[in-house]
Amino acid sequence: QVQLVESGGGLVQAGGSLRLSCAASGSIFRFNAMAWFRQAPGKERDFVAAISRSSSSTYYADSVEGRFTISRDNAKKTVSLQMNSLKPEDTAVYYCALRQSSAVKTTAVWYDTWGQGTQVTVSS
């Protein structure tokens, strides 16, 4: 049974940076596609970024392209999201997600295991 635990959220001013981390437990990780999603109050859970098992491919939502960077360390079983030039509209709960497959997807329905989420608040 894989479990995911996110950390690194907080309050930051617009233009600032945060780094989110997600630690996975369990024997599998290096074979799995990983992603970050976010959910603002009253809205659906939206795709943010995804990464292939070898880190050879990364995918980003248009709204974060050029500002956010996803990375992973298979030896440490972690996936990170570096968020720069943050905007108030980035405010949301951010979730780490794991897929029981190496094929990367950008919609939430394809992901099997989710973390508890970490709050990111960007003030204007």
Side-chain angles (χ1 to χ4, degrees):
Q1 183 77 14
V2 177
Q3 291 186 325
L4 303 174
V5 179
E6 301 101 333
S7 61
L11 173 64
V12 64
Q13 289 188 334
S17 299
L18 281 175
R19 185 176 180 85
L20 305 183
S21 293
C22 173
S25 63
S27 59
I28 58 173
F29 181 80
R30 65 185 185 275
F31 302 116
N32 302 95
M34 299 293 297
W36 287 93
F37 289 80
R38 66 187 182 186
Q39 188 166 19
K43 296 187 176 182
E44 295 184 350
R45 190 167 296 188
D46 291 332
F47 169 74
V48 175
I51 188 167
S52 64
R53 63 178 183 175
S54 64
S55 303
S56 59
S57 299
T58 56
Y59 306 83
Y60 296 94
D62 290 343
S63 58
V64 307
E65 180 81 53
R67 299 188 297 122
F68 290 11
T69 302
I70 188 171
S71 60
R72 67 190 292 167
D73 185 330
N74 287 342
K76 296 181 179 179
K77 296 184 180 179
T78 58
V79 60
S80 299
L81 185 68
Q82 177 66 41
M83 306 186 295
N84 299 327
S85 302
L86 282 161
K87 304 175 181 179
E89 50 264 43
D90 294 318
T91 295
V93 177
Y94 283 71
Y95 296 91
C96 173
L98 175 147
R99 184 158 192 255
Q100 295 287 353
S101 169
S102 60
V104 178
K105 298 290 187 181
T106 59
T107 49
V109 67
W110 289 102
Y111 286 81
D112 305 286
T113 304
W114 294 82
Q116 82 287 353
T118 185
Q119 177 70 47
V120 171
T121 303
V122 184
S123 63
S124 57

